[in-house]
Amino acid sequence: MQAETGSAEIALPEIQGNIAGFNKPHQRFVFLRFPDKAAAQRFLHVTRREVDTADDVADANRSYKWNRKRGREPKPKRWFNLLLSVSGLHMLEAPEMELFEAAFKEGMQARASHLGDMEESAPEKWLALFQQDIHALAILAADLPEDLDRLQKQLSRHSHACKAEELGALDGSARPGEANHSHEHFGFRDGISQPGVIGLTDEPKPGQELIPAGEFILGQPTQPDNAPPPAQPPGAYQPIPAPPPPQFPSWAPNGSFFVFRRLRQDVAGFNDFITRSAGETGLRPDLLEAKLVGRYESGAPLELTRDEDPGLDTQAADPSIADASLLEDEKINNFEFDPHDADGHLVPRAAHIRKMYPRNEDPPGKAQAESHRILRRGIPYGPDFEPAEPAYPGEGAPPDNQDRGLLFGCYQASIERGFEFLQTQWANQPDFPQAGDGRDPITSQDVPAPEFNLPPDHHLTMLRWVITTGGGYFFSPSITALGTLAGE
Ligand code: N7H
């Protein structure tokens, strides 16, 4: 089956709920293996009815916002989704598997050299959990930790009864304290910019582009414009044509691919670099951080902090301290990159958010930028960084009380057009969007000392602060497909 453009109703009760976004402060990722096809089918049969759908989640998210606006405490919720790896699908003898794209069939470990997962990030160094053949991933999410425990007990009852083995679990949670609640471990507010999905996002926020659902959900209409990008003058970055819309088995519509990555963050290393480079460049540390990411820690977009002539004040503090409106929906994600900043003297062209979503920037051009959107679903893991903690030598696994990072997750209709394209063609490409811009300071890991161009005068040599310690590619089947795979 080949995805097409057109207008289809989006069947929310068919689609698993985390595609709409669980957005819960407590989440657990449980990795499972089945002894044989019969056990796998029994497990799917009993758990399928407990899978929460995009309909349930979208409804609850609407009522959450409604209650919050009126100062009422929303009712706590708990959610469950079930995904399968390629080897889980093979065990279930899912038909037409050859139609799935190569990235999914090969798996994240086999794609390591393509992704740049090498040295400390090489699959041989990943947690023992990821050295095993994983068949399924259960995602549990709740407002209350005790509800997560209830979900876990229920899952374990089913695993036990169906002889499914729980290989291990990873817990993520929002950081403690009101001020840090939405911030990841380097300190930045996360979860601000997401694409809107036609048929799923009913109230797009200012600046939130609505994207055809087929970019995230198989069988839905895809972007109309997948034309190859125009060639650039010789010597300039040549945009890479997007892989074609995916083909997929006839049972796969309303499913989506989920990329999971356990990314360890070296907070001390990042902070040391900021302190040292702030000294060298003469920029305030918070401004230098904003130059690397494209947003201040508060989430305030650097793009909206333009100073009048004579230019950016290198000593000005985060402007949202004086003007809190920068953090409101009207402004926080409502911007494009100003053509007057084409050289990146305000927001460097390799800044994380400019690399990962170049918006109007050309190259690569709006159509390309909108063809590589992902629905991010990350949550931090591990304890908060303590400035007084002993230095971690960086060799081998850190002790538990220093192991922290992001359980990165994202949904897309094609891993090759989504996550893999962002990682390999943009983050790891020192010449994207233009020659000499440098690598993404947050996500590129393919070289130990990535370069970052900080116009007008500085060229920084960075370190690796984000290390891949595990991961995998999963498929989130529709509710009907779960039944079909269960042999119902
Ligand atoms: Fe990124 N960070 O804290 O620095 N990310 N990211 N990311 N990221 C974003 O808009 C971060 C990672 C994207 O639409 C923000 O929500 C960290 C991977 C995309 O403007 C911050 C890690 C990939 C966007 C971070 C990490 C991406 C985005 C701004 C790993 C894909 C949206 C807040 C530890 C390959 C861009 C926000 C847009 C935003 C951080 C990983 C992609 C603060 C710490 C692996 C598409």
Side-chain angles (χ1 to χ4, degrees):
M1 191 177 267
Q2 167 92 50
E4 283 169 6
T5 49
S7 60
E9 273 285 292
I10 179 163
L12 296 181
E14 268 294 300
I15 293 166
Q16 294 208 39
N18 199 25
I19 295 166
F22 284 163
N23 294 337
K24 293 294 164 219
H26 302 282
Q27 299 192 18
R28 179 170 298 167
F29 298 81
V30 187
F31 299 85
L32 299 128
R33 181 165 55 196
F34 309 114
D36 52 37
K37 180 180 175 189
Q41 286 199 316
R42 265 199 311 278
F43 184 80
L44 258 58
H45 178 72
V46 296
T47 52
R48 163 175 120 81
R49 282 172 185 77
E50 290 164 14
V51 168
D52 293 295
T53 70
D55 206 24
D56 306 329
V57 172
D59 255 7
N61 288 350
R62 263 192 297 273
S63 107
Y64 180 93
K65 272 193 223 141
W66 193 90
N67 279 306
R68 267 287 150 96
K69 254 191 205 154
R70 284 157 187 80
R72 296 187 196 156
E73 201 43 48
K75 203 169 149 227
K77 286 280 178 191
R78 53 175 196 244
W79 302 125
F80 167 70
N81 270 185
L82 183 65
L83 292 79
L84 294 157
S85 70
V86 73
S87 55
L89 287 168
H90 279 308
M91 171 151 281
L92 285 155
E93 293 176 3
E96 302 167 56
M97 287 294 288
E98 68 286 356
L99 289 177
F100 274 133
E101 60 178 3
F104 177 64
K105 286 187 288 190
E106 289 170 14
M108 190 183 281
Q109 298 206 11
R111 309 278 283 185
S113 57
H114 177 55
L115 293 172
D117 280 340
M118 40 193 67
E119 295 161 14
E120 304 112 287
S121 290
E124 307 83 77
K125 305 258 174 83
W126 290 4
L127 303 190
L129 169 62
F130 296 100
Q131 309 295 344
Q132 308 173 79
D133 188 16
I134 295 166
H135 290 156
L137 164 63
I139 307 181
L140 320 181
D143 286 297
L144 307 172
E146 55 270 32
D147 275 347
L148 206 59
D149 293 342
R150 279 193 197 108
L151 284 167
Q152 176 66 67
K153 281 200 184 108
Q154 202 167 327
L155 176 69
S156 296
R157 264 200 305 276
H158 295 319
S159 313
H160 187 73
C162 302
K163 301 201 166 39
E165 187 187 352
E166 288 181 15
L167 300 171
L170 297 176
D171 280 350
S173 52
R175 289 179 52 212
E178 188 67 26
N180 292 329
H181 188 81
S182 308
H183 293 238
E184 52 68 61
H185 283 292
F186 290 149
F188 296 93
R189 181 165 156 202
D190 204 358
I192 300 167
S193 176
Q194 298 277 12
V197 184
I198 295 175
L200 186 59
T201 310
D202 39 22
E203 278 178 32
K205 292 186 175 152
Q208 188 180 30
E209 294 283 344
L210 278 175
I211 307 292
E215 297 295 311
F216 312 104
I217 300 163
L218 296 180
Q220 296 289 332
T222 54
Q223 293 276 24
D225 185 1
N226 281 314
Q232 297 298 312
Y237 167 78
Q238 300 295 329
I240 289 112
Q247 296 209 317
F248 46 85
S250 53
W251 52 268
N254 290 322
S256 181
F257 293 105
F258 183 67
V259 170
F260 177 84
R261 265 161 102 71
R262 184 181 186 275
L263 298 173
R264 193 168 76 219
Q265 290 174 248
D266 175 5
V267 178
F270 182 78
N271 291 349
D272 286 352
F273 173 84
I274 294 293
T275 310
R276 192 162 21 90
S277 305
E280 283 164 21
T281 57
L283 263 58
R284 270 178 66 106
D286 51 356
L287 176 58
L288 180 62
E289 281 188 340
K291 292 273 184 186
L292 297 186
V293 170
R295 291 184 184 275
Y296 284 87
E297 288 198 2
S298 62
L302 192 53
E303 182 63 34
L304 296 187
T305 63
R306 176 178 300 280
D307 276 6
E308 298 305 322
D309 278 348
L312 192 72
D313 175 357
T314 59
Q315 298 311 308
D318 175 344
S320 69
I321 298 169
D323 176 9
S325 76
L326 283 170
L327 306 181
E328 285 168 10
D329 280 354
E330 269 314 311
K331 293 197 179 157
I332 194 162
N333 200 33
N334 195 6
F335 62 90
E336 301 217 301
F337 296 111
D338 190 329
H340 292 115
D341 188 31
D343 68 350
H345 61 267
L346 178 64
V347 184
R349 288 193 299 242
H352 181 55
I353 68 161
R354 195 163 176 170
K355 275 255 191 196
M356 294 289 86
Y357 177 37
R359 298 176 192 237
N360 57 318
E361 177 152 7
D362 196 1
K366 189 87 175 157
Q368 272 263 311
E370 300 301 353
S371 294
H372 304 288
R373 306 296 305 274
I374 52 176
L375 296 169
R376 287 179 302 131
R377 298 288 178 258
I379 185 159
Y381 76 88
D384 271 10
F385 173 70
E386 297 288 343
E389 74 186 29
Y392 151 60
E395 286 290 316
D400 283 353
N401 62 0
Q402 286 181 254
D403 189 359
R404 58 180 68 85
L406 188 72
L407 300 179
F408 173 85
C410 68
Y411 288 94
Q412 57 255 276
S414 158
I415 295 169
E416 290 172 19
R417 280 163 59 95
F419 164 71
E420 282 201 351
F421 192 95
L422 295 181
Q423 184 68 52
T424 64
Q425 306 301 332
W426 290 354
N428 295 355
Q429 275 293 339
D431 294 333
F432 174 80
Q434 295 193 36
D437 282 341
R439 286 180 162 77
D440 185 311
I442 304 295
T443 45
S444 75
Q445 299 159 45
D446 58 330
V447 292
E451 302 280 316
F452 182 84
N453 190 29
L454 178 62
D457 304 321
H458 300 285
H459 205 76
L460 306 178
T461 302
M462 305 179 292
L463 295 165
R464 261 196 213 111
W465 305 297
V466 173
I467 298 124
T468 312
T469 54
Y473 293 155
F474 296 91
F475 187 64
S476 170
S478 70
I479 307 302
T480 299
L482 283 173
T484 310
L485 294 167
E488 288 168 10

